[in-house]
Amino acid sequence: MHFDFANALNLVSTVTLIGALIFTGLQVRTANRARREQAAVTVIQTTALSENSARILELLGQIPEGASASVIDNLDAEARRQIFLF
């Protein structure tokens, strides 16, 4: 097999293209992760700044972990409305 300058340039361009595709994939993955984290921070900030957040968190703290839906159904109407709004 004859390996000349044109074949070497083809090989270099192919390796460069593959490297660019890998780099792009990694950058897209990093950007998606950053976007997910920023969305989570925004949700937390929005929840923390809402006027009812302390009341709702106190109400949610009173519900036992792993409780069935009937526990929430047995709450008074105002408590259910606050949970629904939250």
Side-chain angles (χ1 to χ4, degrees), residues 2-74:
H2 183 65
F3 196 72
D4 59 357
F5 188 67
N7 286 337
L9 288 178
N10 281 337
L11 179 63
V12 168
S13 74
T14 301
V15 169
T16 303
L17 180 62
I18 291 171
L21 290 173
I22 291 171
F23 177 76
T24 301
L26 293 173
Q27 289 298 103
V28 167
R29 190 171 78 178
T30 302
N32 286 339
R33 184 179 301 131
R35 205 169 21 250
R36 257 193 323 267
E37 290 173 359
Q38 184 60 41
V41 167
T42 302
V43 166
I44 291 170
Q45 287 174 341
T46 302
T47 303
L49 296 177
S50 76
E51 60 188 53
N52 296 326
S53 63
R55 204 170 335 140
I56 291 171
L57 289 175
E58 180 183 351
L59 176 65
L60 291 176
Q62 294 172 359
I63 299 172
E65 187 174 331
S68 65
S70 63
V71 172
I72 295 175
D73 289 340
N74 292 335

